[in-house]
Amino acid sequence: MNLVNALNLSYLLASVLFIVGLKQLGHPKTATKGNILGAVGMFIAVVATLFDQQIISYEWIAIGIAIGSIIGIILAIKIQMTAMPQLVAVLNGFGGIASVLVAGSALQISIPKYEYLVNYQEIISIVFSAIIGGVTFSGSFIAFGKLQGLVTEKAVRYPGDQVVKIIVGLACIGLGVYSTLYPTNEPIYWILSAISLLLGILLVVPIGGADMPVVISLLNSYSGIAASATGFVLNNNVLIIAGSLVGASGIILTQIMCKAMNRSLTNVLFGGFGAVASEMKDDGDFYHGKIKSTSAEEVAMLLDIARTVVIVPGYGMAVAQAQHAVRDLYQLLTARGIDVTFAIHPVAGRMPGHMNVLLAEADIPYDRLKEMDEINSTFENVDLVIVNGANDVTNPLAKTDPKSPIAGMPILDVDKAKTVVVIKRSLSPGFAGVPNPLFIADNCLMLFGDGKKATQEMINALKES
């Protein structure tokens, strides 16, 4: 067997492992095994590539591996679970800029032969890598900045912003066509890459915080498409397949997220939803003094007589790093014979599956996590719902006010439960910037405070009861 056949067989095996691993990631019970299969597939692909005779210098590869490994180890140790959305955004960005640089290097190598014969598959792939990779890189880092608080979470809009985006997009297309027709003009490639970076900024800056889960999912898809385009540049089959899998799965996830918000992708990208509303005082006129505050001791009394409890996690729980305290509460209630489940909204948190990741880290059993469609029909029979740091995903205005920014968005019907306890620092609105009528519902009690501290106080009160 020659080297080329051995490489292709190795890439085929790696691709099969990617596909099987991706399939197993679809269920929590097999997700760990799916991750392992994917990692093994990537290991095989990397090792096989190192045997490619087109590799010139192993020294630079070793240096790159060393630097990347050090950065990866530091990130793995330092990054908190609450900052995982930011990390995902950064990793998407790195994937995008890698495609730009690799395609640029390939162009430099190919320019001499382009003087005689142009490989249009290669040059078109190089152009796609520049555009998609550039948009992914800058867009991902703007998303990171919004999530980290370095860039305003508001949807930044200005007169004629859509026109500006169209002009910059057309400039990218025009330069891309020029690069395809005149590939020996290398500076045009880097100008195209720079304008693509600008387009990524213009596309993400107008999107507000509430839409960040959708944006991260979409940018993840972009990074896969950029990788696949780079695979065509390098004639690397496994890169084409892996990038296609990431791109396709990212698009599918983006559609699922948009459906969960009852919004189209076009509306997310160009509608400016998710802007943080003007600051609203805790005693805002909307609530008219109808808020009913409670205490941990009173909630403990309610839990003592409850038979069914549903916990709704939100980004406030993530910020408070309350997932382990929530796990302790779950174990205490379960030990008392109370049926406890967790209601998961698809867009709760800052990235797809954010709440699932946090609860899995705290060793909450997978079978206790219920998706919105599964649990909504059961709320009428629930004795007590504890909302820990969630807001927009429980807001009844989505169903009752057609003019609301979240109108039509499917929500968790917690208001149908017998009693609802909302743990929240204040009455400030969520990312959508609208008040929540749930807070003044007859069956709702507000437990003001940090999600972790409030949960621990409930645990202490339960133990003393």
Side-chain angles (χ1 to χ4, degrees), residues 146 152-158 161 204-212 268 271-277 431:
K146 284 178 175 284
T152 178
E153 293 176 342
K154 295 180 180 180
V156 180
R157 307 298 300 272
Y158 53 90
D161 59 340
V204 178
V205 163
I207 302 175
D211 282 330
M212 279 302 108
V268 170
F273 172 72
V276 177
F431 279 125

Side-chain angles (χ1 to χ4, degrees), residues 66-80:
I67 295 174
S69 297
I70 292 172
I71 295 174
I73 291 171
I74 293 173
L75 288 175
I77 295 174
K78 296 291 186 180
I79 294 294
Q80 299 291 330

Side-chain angles (χ1 to χ4, degrees), residues 402-460:
K403 296 182 179 180
S404 171
I406 59 173
M409 184 180 86
I411 62 168
L412 292 166
D413 296 328
V414 298
D415 55 316
K416 295 180 180 179
K418 296 175 183 177
T419 305
V420 181
V421 173
V422 177
I423 300 174
K424 203 172 182 296
R425 293 175 183 271
S426 68
L427 293 176
S428 59
F431 279 125
V434 293
N436 193 339
L438 173 67
F439 300 165
I440 55 176
D442 293 337
N443 61 338
C444 182
L445 300 171
M446 299 294 298
L447 180 57
F448 292 107
D450 172 86
K452 182 177 180 180
K453 182 180 178 181
T455 302
Q456 190 58 54
E457 288 175 350
M458 285 192 293
I459 293 171
N460 296 337

Side-chain angles (χ1 to χ4, degrees), residues 4-5 14 29 36 44 48-49 53 60 77 85 96 115 141 175 177 225 270 322 338 343 359 416 436 447:
V4 173
N5 290 336
K29 290 184 178 180
I36 294 173
I44 293 173
T49 302
Q53 292 177 340
W60 284 109
I77 295 174
E115 297 285 353
F141 273 84
L175 287 172
V177 172
I225 295 172
F270 302 105
I338 300 173
L359 296 175
K416 295 180 180 179
N436 193 339
L447 180 57

Side-chain angles (χ1 to χ4, degrees), residues 256-262 310 312-313 342-348 356 369-379 392-395 398-399 408-414:
I256 292 173
M257 301 289 286
C258 288
K259 182 179 179 181
M261 300 173 69
N262 194 36
V310 174
V312 178
F342 293 80
I344 309 298
H345 193 284
V347 296
N356 302 70
L369 309 185
K370 306 297 182 182
E371 298 296 332
M372 176 180 63
D373 293 340
E374 180 182 0
I375 201 169
N376 259 354
S377 61
T378 68
F379 276 115
D392 293 334
V393 298
T394 63
N395 194 330
K399 293 186 174 182
M409 184 180 86
I411 62 168
L412 292 166
D413 296 328
V414 298

Side-chain angles (χ1 to χ4, degrees), residues 267-426:
N267 189 246
V268 170
L269 293 177
F270 302 105
F273 172 72
V276 177
S278 57
E279 292 187 4
M280 174 179 166
K281 296 181 180 180
D282 286 355
D283 59 348
D285 293 338
F286 179 84
Y287 298 110
H288 299 296
K290 296 180 181 179
I291 295 296
K292 298 182 287 297
S293 298
T294 188
S295 64
E297 290 74 20
E298 185 177 353
V299 176
M301 293 173 60
L302 293 172
L303 289 170
D304 265 334
I305 59 175
R307 298 273 59 86
T308 54
V309 173
V310 174
I311 299 175
V312 178
Y315 186 65
M317 184 194 78
V319 171
Q321 299 185 41
Q323 61 267 31
H324 292 94
V326 170
R327 184 267 321 277
D328 294 340
L329 177 62
Y330 160 77
Q331 292 177 339
L332 180 59
L333 294 175
T334 301
R336 295 188 175 201
I338 300 173
D339 180 31
V340 183
T341 53
F342 293 80
I344 309 298
H345 193 284
V347 296
R350 295 287 189 89
M351 71 174 186
H354 195 180
M355 296 300 104
N356 302 70
V357 171
L358 288 177
L359 296 175
E361 184 212 9
D363 295 324
I364 300 294
Y366 290 123
D367 61 353
R368 295 287 87 192
L369 309 185
K370 306 297 182 182
E371 298 296 332
M372 176 180 63
D373 293 340
E374 180 182 0
I375 201 169
N376 259 354
S377 61
T378 68
F379 276 115
E380 292 181 353
N381 301 318
V382 173
D383 294 324
L384 179 64
V385 172
I386 300 175
V387 180
N388 197 322
N391 195 332
D392 293 334
V393 298
T394 63
N395 194 330
L397 283 180
K399 293 186 174 182
T400 60
D401 184 1
K403 296 182 179 180
S404 171
I406 59 173
M409 184 180 86
I411 62 168
L412 292 166
D413 296 328
V414 298
D415 55 316
K416 295 180 180 179
K418 296 175 183 177
T419 305
V420 181
V421 173
V422 177
I423 300 174
K424 203 172 182 296
R425 293 175 183 271
S426 68

